[in-house]
Amino acid sequence: MKNETMAEAAADNVNGEGGASFSTTNVQVEAVDEEDMVKTDGSYLFHLVQDYSKGSDYSISIVKADGSQMEEVSRIEGLTNINGFYLQGDSLVCVEQLWLETKVPSGDGFLKRLAGYGDSESYMRSGTRITFFDIKDRSYPKKVSSLTTDGYAASSRISGGYFYLISQYTPCRTADPEDPDSFIPIVNGVAMEAASIIIPENTDTDSYLVVASVSLKDPTKFADSKAILSGGNQYYVSADHIYVADTQYRSADTDTSTTNLTVFAYQDGQI
């Protein structure tokens, strides 16, 4: 009887009689969405497709799912090294990894340290691009905006109508001490302000952990951003806090390893 009851309940769920009529991304915290490679709104399937003949080229296929009848109605192309994407009503958000070309600043000191790269007038730094699409008409997705930030996307979430990106950025070893833009994280083309950067007393890293937010209602700019010198690579996001664990391993000066926990509070895009 127990097995029969569970089967009936499952059938009710599929038919929409027991709640949601379609599955969603498995998340760690209710109402805090996570990226995925496949999502659905109950009528359309959205799935990530890689073109292996072009290496890092990706696209998102939008397929109308009507019972056994399936038809691709559109495709979002031109994506590169995509981690995953989000589906929020009539908005689709993509997170991509890329290399950002940066102009070499003038100054003999910097150029000498850059000698290993030749006489190049620019160098590449790791970056993340967040692209927002309007998919109200599933057959004709429209790009709304793209934002970039230094570093690779370590994690991300959507909560309360805001997209939150967690990225790790390590400056170029040949950074010029006289040019802050060469070692301070750049968020959408602008170096972060000193008041938004935290330098802990005890740290053994030259990497930044950057947390930035974007409103889904106004995805043309970052709502807020904060950075901290941290090599943290373990993350947990609750409904109002972001937890980052950074393990510092034993060295010649100490015989113990320690784990530092950094906590960011967030609400309505403010960090």
Side-chain angles (χ1 to χ4, degrees), residues 121-133:
E121 295 182 354
S122 64
Y123 65 99
M124 308 303 288
R125 54 203 286 172
S126 64
T128 298
R129 178 168 58 206
I130 311 132
T131 305
F132 299 82
F133 293 90

Side-chain angles (χ1 to χ4, degrees), residues 26-153:
N26 290 331
V27 296
Q28 299 175 68
V29 178
E30 186 177 359
V32 180
D33 197 17
E34 301 181 34
E35 66 181 23
D36 210 338
M37 294 185 290
V38 179
K39 286 184 178 284
T40 180
D41 61 2
S43 299
Y44 292 84
L45 294 174
F46 302 76
H47 69 99
L48 191 61
V49 180
Q50 181 178 8
D51 185 345
Y52 289 97
S53 66
K54 297 181 180 179
S56 60
D57 283 8
Y58 292 80
S59 62
I60 295 176
S61 174
I62 303 178
V63 178
K64 183 174 178 58
D66 184 10
S68 61
Q69 303 299 315
M70 301 182 69
E71 175 189 6
E72 182 179 79
V73 298
S74 62
R75 184 175 287 224
I76 298 174
E77 298 183 303
L79 305 174
T80 303
N81 286 332
I82 183 169
N83 287 8
F85 63 92
Y86 291 85
L87 182 63
Q88 294 281 309
D90 290 330
S91 296
L92 188 145
V93 185
C94 297
V95 184
E96 303 171 78
Q97 301 296 150
L98 69 160
W99 290 99
L100 301 172
E101 185 173 5
T102 305
K103 184 179 180 181
V104 174
S106 59
D108 293 339
F110 183 87
L111 292 175
K112 287 179 180 178
R113 288 191 291 277
L114 205 67
Y117 295 91
D119 297 323
S120 174
E121 295 182 354
S122 64
Y123 65 99
M124 308 303 288
R125 54 203 286 172
S126 64
T128 298
R129 178 168 58 206
I130 311 132
T131 305
F132 299 82
F133 293 90
D134 179 348
I135 56 169
K136 185 174 183 179
D137 185 343
R138 301 308 198 238
S139 299
Y140 297 96
K142 299 178 181 178
K143 179 181 174 180
V144 176
S145 63
S146 285
L147 302 175
T148 60
T149 182
D150 273 344
Y152 69 89

